[in-house]
Amino acid sequence: VKPACFDFLPHLSKVQKEGTAGYTLDQAKKLRKSYGVGTMILEQKDAIDLFVDEIMRPLYIFIVMSCLLWIYEEYFYYSFMIFVTAAFGIGTSLVQTYRINKKIFEMAYFETEVNILREGQIKKGSSKYVVPGDIVFVKDPIKMPFDGLLLQGSILANECSITGESVKVKKKSETITKA
């Protein structure tokens, strides 16, 4: 599947030369239908699926077969101890995996209120309704869960989640021309 790509240069040059009233509600709706809602939706596995994934690992299959062999050979004590140890390992792994998946889901789904130019007016709305080519006005420091171009002014951007650098980077607007 080829990812959707938005050619922003014609839209941006129109904005810089003529100004714009932003998208109409119908245009934004069509773009949202094409590109989807602006959030990352991850599948969360339930405890049963995580349990099945965990016990199907080769190590645990080997342990179960070993326990069955020891029971057959009447080494009940060894079989019981290995089974208890493996059950404890599976249990702690399930708890850790469930917590990590829950944390990742919470981090991936992020939305904030933004000021979007629609039909000549600045309207407050959720960041999940921002579509490619929208003009968003930023007054206060916010985390933006989408990519964008700076049309006017300058900002200090914290790109630590992208680059790993803890130092904020100064970004300034520039005129973009088609090469």
Side-chain angles (χ1 to χ4, degrees):
V1 176
K2 187 177 178 184
C5 183
F6 180 75
D7 185 12
F8 63 88
L9 287 175
H11 183 70
L12 182 62
S13 62
K14 180 182 176 187
V15 168
Q16 288 179 336
K17 289 178 187 170
E18 304 166 14
T20 184
Y23 290 129
T24 64
L25 293 175
D26 288 337
Q27 288 172 323
K29 189 176 181 181
K30 285 179 185 174
L31 284 167
R32 196 172 308 110
K33 189 175 182 181
S34 296
Y35 294 101
V37 178
T39 59
M40 188 186 310
I41 300 171
L42 299 176
E43 179 184 334
Q44 278 188 300
K45 289 187 175 183
D46 61 351
I48 294 171
D49 290 337
L50 290 174
F51 178 75
V52 169
D53 288 349
E54 189 68 27
I55 64 170
M56 294 308 290
R57 293 186 181 191
L59 173 66
Y60 292 117
I61 293 172
F62 174 76
I63 288 173
V64 167
M65 293 301 166
S66 298
C67 287
L68 291 174
L69 178 65
W70 288 334
I71 289 171
Y72 178 75
E73 293 290 328
E74 298 180 1
Y75 287 108
F76 300 113
Y77 178 75
Y78 294 118
S79 177
F80 176 75
M81 292 306 294
I82 294 299
F83 180 78
V84 167
T85 305
F88 180 75
I90 289 172
T92 56
S93 179
L94 282 175
V95 168
Q96 288 176 347
T97 304
Y98 182 78
R99 286 181 182 166
I100 288 170
N101 285 348
K102 186 176 177 184
K103 193 92 158 164
I104 289 172
F105 181 80
E106 290 170 0
M107 287 174 24
Y109 184 82
F110 177 76
E111 72 178 279
T112 187
E113 190 174 87
V114 293
N115 301 308
I116 308 169
L117 183 63
R118 287 267 194 273
E119 298 180 328
Q121 297 178 355
I122 299 173
K123 298 182 179 181
K124 287 190 181 277
S126 173
S127 59
K128 70 181 184 180
Y129 297 122
V130 173
V131 294
D134 260 340
I135 296 177
V136 177
F137 292 87
V138 180
K139 293 180 186 177
D140 301 321
I142 62 167
K143 290 182 181 178
M144 291 187 355
F146 50 83
D147 197 11
L149 294 171
L150 189 59
L151 298 177
Q152 187 177 2
S154 63
I155 61 168
L156 284 176
N158 184 354
E159 297 180 339
C160 67
S161 62
I162 301 169
T163 63
E165 286 290 326
S166 60
V167 179
K168 293 183 179 181
V169 180
K170 183 175 182 176
K171 302 283 183 175
K172 59 183 178 175
S173 63
E174 295 188 29
T175 305
I176 297 180
T177 57
K178 205 168 196 175

